[in-house]
Amino acid sequence: VISITCDNASANTAMLDELTMHIPTFMGRKAHVRCFAHTINLTAKGVLRPFEPVRSKNRANGGEPGDEEE
């Protein structure tokens, strides 16, 4: 095993530690390659978050458009 590509979940770190104990030649956390697509997705969501529309409580709870409180 040269490397493992997975997302940033903490369970994956535990898995790498476990593999290190069972496979002597495995390099452990040094071999953890974060999924580039997942990293880009998280970055894009963070950048776009300030531009999301503000939703009112009524609309979020299934209210009709125009029922928003001022």
Side-chain angles (χ1 to χ4, degrees):
V1 177
I2 296 171
S3 70
I4 294 180
T5 301
C6 49
D7 62 10
N8 299 328
S10 60
N12 292 325
T13 304
M15 174 190 64
L16 291 171
D17 293 340
E18 193 69 26
L19 285 172
T20 303
M21 290 189 284
H22 295 289
I23 304 173
T25 58
F26 184 61
M27 295 187 303
R29 293 185 185 188
K30 293 178 194 173
H32 186 191
V33 179
R34 307 272 197 267
C35 176
F36 188 66
H38 185 248
T39 304
I40 292 294
N41 185 332
L42 292 174
T43 303
K45 284 182 178 182
V47 168
L48 295 174
R49 179 170 227 128
F51 302 104
E52 290 180 1
V54 178
R55 297 184 180 165
S56 70
K57 291 180 184 178
N58 286 338
R59 203 139 182 226
N61 294 328
E64 294 297 319
D67 288 347
E68 292 89 5
E69 296 175 9
E70 297 296 322

